[in-house]
Amino acid sequence: MVLDRTPPLRESVADLVRRAFVVELGNMVALFVGVYAATIALDNALDPYFLDSDISLLLVRSVLVLVGMGVLATSYASWRGYSLPVSIPNRTDAWLIGAAVAGTAVLAVLPFGLFALRMGVGVSHVTSTVADLGGVFLNRTLIRTALFVSGMVILYHGLVQGGLQRVLSDERDLVVVVTTLLGGYLVTPTTLTYGTFANGPWLFLWGTRAVVAVLFVLALAVAVYADERSDDDRVRALALLPVLVTLALAALVLTLAAETPRGALVVMTRVAVVGVAAYVYDRTASLLSPTLVYATFAVVSAVLYAAAFDAVLGA
């Protein structure tokens, strides 16, 4: 009997340096660039001055964005040969979902702490806001929250995680890690926001960020080519250097986007939220689980934002 002593990290790298994974990742980057460009074009067509003053216009835009993302995710899943699990989680998963929801609530509060202290937000402001949830989630906020939650589930778990599960079917934990890292790269904010999600799901893939994403896919493709064509371990190792360089560039992009320590905390909590959603989706095999995670984050964020608004007005 021969024991496999290959280090786990090396096994994970070997799983990623595969043609199927590169193709899947390339497809996703292309699709996300397309989604981002389409939302920008839609915004310019419906509301070129970004006034966002008409509820019916916001509703039309949200419906169009959701329908478009839904059609994209289901079409891609059908094309790649997998289905989107829409079943209800098992009762045995209730404790896991409960822990995920509680952890997400904490993640929503963390980046708000410094902001709350600066604005003088007290317990009374939060409790009065909670008592008036109907007023908080009225019209515009409700529409934006629904678009945010649904969009995050469709894009990052129906599309990204579903596709990765297909090509890395035997590496569930690796799928969660890659989904979290890719999602973290895409959801990093360019501005700090609390409570409102005007443009739907977190998504930024344009300019420098898009270029770095494309370079990473190309670098990974070079590594795959070297792995398939060369028997020399030194050549294979050398081919991984461009991958490491682009990863460093991606980290630099995220650092520059954060700008401040508070921004860095926002970045880390957003990445963590995607990670929690990816983990609970993997363990429950139901899209309802990440839906609850993102809904929790959205509700807590909106409540805290409204409480800060009340504090500023002296309510």
Side-chain angles (χ1 to χ4, degrees):
M1 181 178 179
V2 179
L3 296 177
D4 184 5
R5 299 183 181 276
T6 305
L9 179 58
R10 186 177 298 176
E11 288 184 355
S12 298
V13 171
D15 286 328
L16 298 182
V17 182
R18 293 166 46 191
R19 185 181 296 269
F21 175 74
V22 175
V23 171
E24 200 71 25
L25 192 61
N27 288 341
M28 289 173 185
V29 170
L31 290 173
F32 273 100
V33 170
V35 169
Y36 192 76
T39 55
I40 292 176
L42 183 63
D43 286 341
N44 288 325
L46 294 181
D47 192 9
Y49 300 106
F50 302 100
L51 297 177
D52 192 25
S53 58
D54 192 293
I55 295 297
S56 60
L57 185 64
L58 177 62
L59 180 60
V60 169
R61 178 196 178 278
S62 299
V63 170
L64 290 175
V65 170
L66 272 184
V67 169
M69 289 190 297
V71 170
L72 174 65
T74 54
S75 299
Y76 186 79
S78 176
W79 176 50
R80 303 301 279 171
Y82 67 91
S83 59
L84 303 180
V86 293
S87 59
I88 303 297
N90 297 325
R91 290 185 178 181
T92 55
D93 295 323
W95 68 271
L96 176 61
I97 296 174
V101 166
T104 302
V106 173
L107 290 173
V109 172
L110 284 177
F112 187 80
L114 296 176
F115 179 73
L117 290 175
R118 190 177 66 180
M119 295 299 170
V121 179
V123 176
S124 60
H125 298 109
V126 177
T127 54
S128 62
T129 303
V130 172
D132 186 32
L133 281 182
V136 174
F137 291 95
L138 182 66
N139 297 331
R140 183 175 284 105
T141 303
L142 181 61
I143 296 172
R144 287 175 170 172
T145 300
L147 176 59
F148 165 74
V149 173
S150 303
M152 291 296 290
V153 172
I154 291 172
L155 289 183
Y156 293 104
H157 306 288
L159 185 61
V160 173
Q161 194 167 0
L164 293 176
Q165 286 173 337
R166 187 188 66 83
V167 296
L168 300 173
S169 56
D170 297 328
E171 296 290 339
R172 293 173 55 186
D173 292 339
L174 183 59
V175 170
V176 172
V177 171
V178 175
T179 301
T180 303
L181 293 178
L182 179 60
Y185 182 73
L186 298 175
V187 305
T188 304
T190 54
T191 57
L192 303 183
T193 57
Y194 296 96
T196 59
F197 310 95
N199 295 318
W202 293 325
L203 176 61
F204 188 86
L205 190 57
W206 204 248
T208 303
R209 196 170 306 196
V211 171
V212 172
V214 172
L215 287 177
F216 177 76
V217 175
L218 293 177
L220 197 57
V222 170
V224 170
Y225 181 83
D227 185 71
E228 293 179 347
R229 295 302 181 94
S230 176
D231 295 326
D232 191 334
D233 289 339
R234 291 174 298 180
V235 173
R236 293 177 176 178
L238 187 62
L240 286 174
L241 286 180
V243 177
L244 298 178
V245 170
T246 51
L247 282 175
L249 287 175
L252 178 61
V253 167
L254 301 190
T255 302
L256 294 176
E259 295 184 348
T260 64
R262 188 175 65 186
L265 184 58
V266 173
V267 170
M268 289 186 289
T269 51
R270 285 192 178 192
V271 174
V273 168
V274 175
V276 170
Y279 181 82
V280 74
Y281 172 56
D282 175 78
R283 294 305 188 262
T284 62
S286 172
L287 287 175
L288 179 61
S289 301
T291 298
L292 293 175
V293 169
Y294 293 121
T296 299
F297 187 89
V299 169
V300 173
S301 296
V303 167
L304 294 177
Y305 181 85
F309 190 74
D310 288 344
V312 170
L313 295 180

